Amino acid sequence: CPFCGASTRTTHVRRRRRVRDLPVSGQLTRLVWIRHRFVSGNYDERHLETHVAFEGGLTRRLARQLVTDAKDMSIRAVVRHHGLDWHLIQALVTSWAATIAEHRRSRRCRVLLVDETSMRKRHRYVTVLQDGDTGQILAMVAHRNAAALLAFFIEQGPKWCRGVKVVVSDGSKSYRSAIEVHLGGARHVLDRFHVVRWFTDALTLVRRDLQRREPAASSPPSTP
């Protein structure tokens, strides 16, 4: 019993529930689950039976197959292939993605890469955090300011932050201030892409300045 923890076999009612399963030989398959509603002997409370193999109206193996198909196909294609509701498949994919993201973020990260990108060109900027050793994306945080990065570090916790030994970012002052607060013990490295870009921009300015200058007056040749 989820209320008192006592074991009970007293059944209040039995109900048949049809659960969608993986197809067999290309045919639609449904399992019939005789689901019990038990009565607790201590408090006369009633609770429904649960099963680890069933998730809502689907079996767990079908739910995993849907998520696997969504890695190679669009949600619409998965809907057409399995004949299920779009919102159901989207909810499964979202839930599984959140679980995977939480698992990745809980693991130790030695090298952290921080960069910004836009979901749309010059609109909806986000901060992307990546594990430099594995190449896996840890999180995409809305906005590209210090508050966004600080919120990520606070959620990860001080133990995770102490495990970061090297952090690579661009020259953003907002990122640098957040890194100094939570990753003070890590070595902060500027990524070479921005360093090379700053160098080439400065070199272009010097070339333009030299081209604008008038050439020095040359002295007339001496006559014999």
Side-chain angles (χ1 to χ4, degrees), residues 147-201:
L149 198 54
L150 284 171
F152 173 80
F153 290 146
I154 292 173
E155 184 179 357
Q156 292 297 104
K159 182 179 179 180
W160 185 90
C161 292
R162 286 194 298 269
V164 178
K165 303 304 180 183
V166 180
V167 56
V168 182
S169 72
D170 57 17
S172 170
K173 295 182 179 179
S174 300
Y175 288 163
R176 184 171 57 190
S177 62
I179 291 170
E180 290 176 353
V181 172
H182 289 277
L183 303 180
R187 176 180 297 179
H188 191 185
V189 180
L190 296 179
D191 66 270
R192 59 183 181 182
F193 171 79
H194 289 86
V195 173
V196 171
R197 188 179 68 178
W198 297 334
F199 177 80
T200 54
D201 290 345

Side-chain angles (χ1 to χ4, degrees), residues 8-27:
T8 178
R9 293 185 178 180
T10 305
T11 301
H12 174 66
V13 68
R14 296 181 179 87
R15 295 178 179 175
R16 290 176 175 266
R17 183 169 185 181
R18 299 171 66 85
V19 183
R20 178 77 179 270
D21 196 9
L22 288 172
V24 176
S25 300
Q27 299 297 320

Side-chain angles (χ1 to χ4, degrees):
C1 175
F3 303 101
C4 62
S7 300
T8 178
R9 293 185 178 180
T10 305
T11 301
H12 174 66
V13 68
R14 296 181 179 87
R15 295 178 179 175
R16 290 176 175 266
R17 183 169 185 181
R18 299 171 66 85
V19 183
R20 178 77 179 270
D21 196 9
L22 288 172
V24 176
S25 300
Q27 299 297 320
L28 177 65
T29 305
R30 294 185 184 273
L31 305 181
V32 179
W33 177 22
I34 308 300
R35 193 177 189 184
H36 297 75
R37 187 177 183 88
F38 293 108
V39 180
S40 174
N42 295 336
Y43 299 97
D44 196 29
E45 295 285 352
R46 293 171 174 80
H47 61 277
L48 284 171
E49 179 185 12
T50 59
H51 200 291
V52 294
F54 300 148
E55 296 182 357
L58 308 174
T59 59
R60 177 167 293 185
R61 57 189 177 188
L62 176 57
R64 291 177 177 175
Q65 184 62 46
L66 294 174
V67 174
T68 301
D69 292 344
K71 295 179 181 179
D72 302 322
M73 300 186 293
S74 65
I75 300 298
R76 290 180 179 271
V78 178
V79 168
R80 291 192 298 266
H81 182 71
H82 291 276
L84 293 171
D85 182 66
W86 185 93
H87 295 88
L88 173 63
I89 298 176
Q90 180 65 36
L92 287 173
V93 173
T94 302
S95 176
W96 182 255
T99 302
I100 295 298
E102 183 179 357
H103 176 67
R104 287 178 178 175
R105 291 169 62 169
S106 63
R107 291 187 297 183
R108 180 177 178 270
C109 177
R110 189 182 65 88
V111 180
L112 179 65
L113 310 181
V114 183
D115 200 2
E116 64 181 34
T117 186
S118 57
M119 305 301 292
R120 294 172 51 196
K121 189 174 183 180
R122 300 182 180 179
H123 296 281
R124 292 181 58 191
Y125 281 93
V126 296
T127 299
V128 181
L129 297 112
Q130 185 177 6
D131 190 328
D133 290 327
T134 63
Q136 294 179 334
I137 300 297
L138 301 178
M140 294 181 64
V141 185
H143 306 300
R144 52 174 178 172
N145 50 25
L149 198 54
L150 284 171
F152 173 80
F153 290 146
I154 292 173
E155 184 179 357
Q156 292 297 104
K159 182 179 179 180
W160 185 90
C161 292
R162 286 194 298 269
V164 178
K165 303 304 180 183
V166 180
V167 56
V168 182
S169 72
D170 57 17
S172 170
K173 295 182 179 179
S174 300
Y175 288 163
R176 184 171 57 190
S177 62
I179 291 170
E180 290 176 353
V181 172
H182 289 277
L183 303 180
R187 176 180 297 179
H188 191 185
V189 180
L190 296 179
D191 66 270
R192 59 183 181 182
F193 171 79
H194 289 86
V195 173
V196 171
R197 188 179 68 178
W198 297 334
F199 177 80
T200 54
D201 290 345
L203 184 61
T204 301
L205 292 176
V206 172
R207 287 175 176 173
R208 290 177 179 175
D209 183 62
L210 292 176
Q211 290 174 354
R212 292 191 185 99
R213 296 180 183 179
E214 295 182 0
S218 56
S219 56
S222 58
T223 57

